[in-house]
Amino acid sequence: MNVTKAKLETLIKELPDTVDIEEVMYRLYLFHKIETGEAAIEEGKTLSHEETMKRLSKKWEN
């Protein structure tokens, strides 16, 4: 997934003045997961609540 500089600049500006690299990496990871999820929603790659419950029920039975 490609990200624009503007989105990264916004992410960096939201960081505190002093931050460790782990926090930066975590926020980049979180940003990536949110972007991926939003793209999946736009593409219709979602499950209904009922389908999710069916899948989880099958998983829990095993």
Side-chain angles (χ1 to χ4, degrees):
M1 172 193 325
N2 293 324
V3 180
T4 63
K5 277 191 209 180
K7 286 185 178 183
L8 289 175
E9 287 174 350
T10 300
L11 180 78
I12 290 169
K13 286 178 184 176
E14 292 174 356
L15 292 170
D17 290 338
T18 304
V19 63
D20 60 21
I21 192 69
E22 288 83 13
E23 180 68 18
V24 175
M25 291 171 59
Y26 172 73
R27 292 201 189 192
L28 284 170
Y29 170 78
L30 185 60
F31 175 79
H32 172 70
K33 289 297 187 180
I34 291 170
E35 290 286 312
T36 301
E38 288 177 346
I41 290 169
E42 287 179 14
E43 295 170 8
K45 296 180 181 177
T46 60
L47 296 175
S48 67
H49 178 74
E50 292 78 20
E51 183 61 31
T52 302
M53 293 307 292
K54 283 181 193 176
R55 288 184 181 195
L56 287 174
S57 294
K58 288 180 185 178
K59 192 173 189 175
W60 290 332
E61 289 174 359
N62 295 330

